[in-house]
Structure formats: C-alpha cells, structure tokens
Amino acid sequence: MAEKTGIDAAIAYVKGDATAPRGKGVKMIVHVCNDLGGWGRGFVLVLSRRWPEPERAYRRWHRERAGNDFGLGAVQFVPVGERMWVANVVGQRGIKTGSRGVPVRYEALAAGLGRVADRALELGASVHMPRIGCGLAGGTWSRVEPLIVQRLVGRGVAVTVYDQ
C-alpha cells in the first residue's frame, strides 16, 4: 500500500460511527451546532441516542446565553464518560441555506477548533468526528479539512474522521 502524504497523512479516515471512537485513552467527539438552540436533525440525533448529556447541556447553554459565552465560535465541553467528552462547537448560523449562503461559518468553525485543540491538549485527548460542517450545515470538506489540519493536527492533536 502506498504511503499517504499531505493532508491524508495527518487525519485518519475510517469507516464507522463517530460516537463509538476507536483507540485508547481520552477521546473527544467533535460536532457542529447551530446558533439558534436547535438540536433535532443530523449527527446530533446519533449523539442523543447514545448520551443525553450533550443535548441537555447545549439547550441549557443556549437558554442561558445572556450570561455565558454562547455564540459563533464558542465550544461547550460535555463529559459523557470517564474518558470521553463531546465538544459542541457553535459553527453554523441558523439552519437553512438561503440568500446569505450555507449555514456553516468557516471562521467560527476555525475558532472553535482552536478551542478544541486547547482542551484536547490539556486532557491528552484524541479527537473524533464525522465530516463536520458538511451535512446540514452545507459546508464543503475541501474547506473544512484544512481547518482541522491547521487548528488540530498542526498542534499535535490526533484526529480521526468517521465515514458511514
């Protein structure tokens, strides 16, 4: 098998379920949330079937946003097990594609991934995710992947991306 170079060498791509991350050690599952407080379609449904805590925490975070950091680029870290975390990254404005383009906000996603890297390095965690920002958020992997490489892999965080 030929050795992969560039971006492909930096991110491990596997078939599987991002809510059942592979490997040993502390793991952080990263996904993108909207800035409306909505949680009900896409990858969050899979998360909620496995753990109720991320949804409850996200809804409370949004409800109490007048007194916290909720907004584009913010990240909420929710423990779901002894060595497992979920990172709710607010990386999309609204939920619909329209005259202002797709909901994903790449600059907010980049900021959120920087916060994820900080916490992952603190915890000694590997990061696991679906192709974030590319489902309901409407983004393209060709724009998201370099953000992951720059913000996470470039700082020494191991990243695995799961495709179904």
Side-chain angles (χ1 to χ4, degrees):
M1 185 171 161
E3 187 175 320
K4 292 183 178 182
T5 59
I7 288 173
D8 288 339
I11 298 172
Y13 289 90
V14 299
K15 290 264 184 230
D17 177 359
T19 66
R22 300 176 185 182
K24 296 185 190 296
V26 180
K27 298 176 192 76
M28 184 180 300
I29 298 167
V30 175
H31 72 108
V32 173
C33 301
N34 63 65
D35 64 351
L36 296 178
W39 182 292
R41 291 180 59 210
F43 182 71
V44 297
L45 296 178
V46 179
L47 272 176
S48 291
R49 276 195 294 273
R50 192 168 292 265
W51 304 287
E53 297 93 340
E55 178 180 359
R56 277 198 299 251
Y58 171 77
R59 290 186 185 280
R60 183 173 50 254
W61 188 32
H62 177 264
R63 193 172 48 251
E64 298 170 0
R65 66 191 176 280
N68 64 39
D69 68 343
F70 184 91
L72 286 170
V75 183
Q76 181 185 48
F77 298 96
V78 183
V80 294
E82 189 178 320
R83 299 167 63 80
M84 184 85 70
W85 294 78
V86 170
N88 293 331
V89 178
V90 184
Q92 79 181 65
R93 165 139 309 143
I95 56 172
K96 294 188 176 158
T97 298
S99 61
R100 295 178 188 230
V102 296
V104 72
R105 292 296 179 263
Y106 295 108
E107 61 285 348
L109 185 54
L113 289 172
R115 291 177 177 90
V116 166
D118 291 343
R119 183 59 67 92
L121 290 168
E122 257 176 49
L123 296 169
S126 55
V127 167
H128 305 263
M129 64 180 72
R131 291 186 186 237
I132 59 171
C134 297
L136 297 172
T140 61
W141 190 244
S142 64
R143 292 205 44 202
V144 173
E145 185 181 48
L147 298 176
I148 294 166
V149 170
Q150 176 190 40
R151 299 296 176 125
L152 294 166
V153 176
R155 292 186 57 197
V157 177
V159 176
T160 303
V161 171
Y162 296 76
D163 289 313
Q164 291 290 330

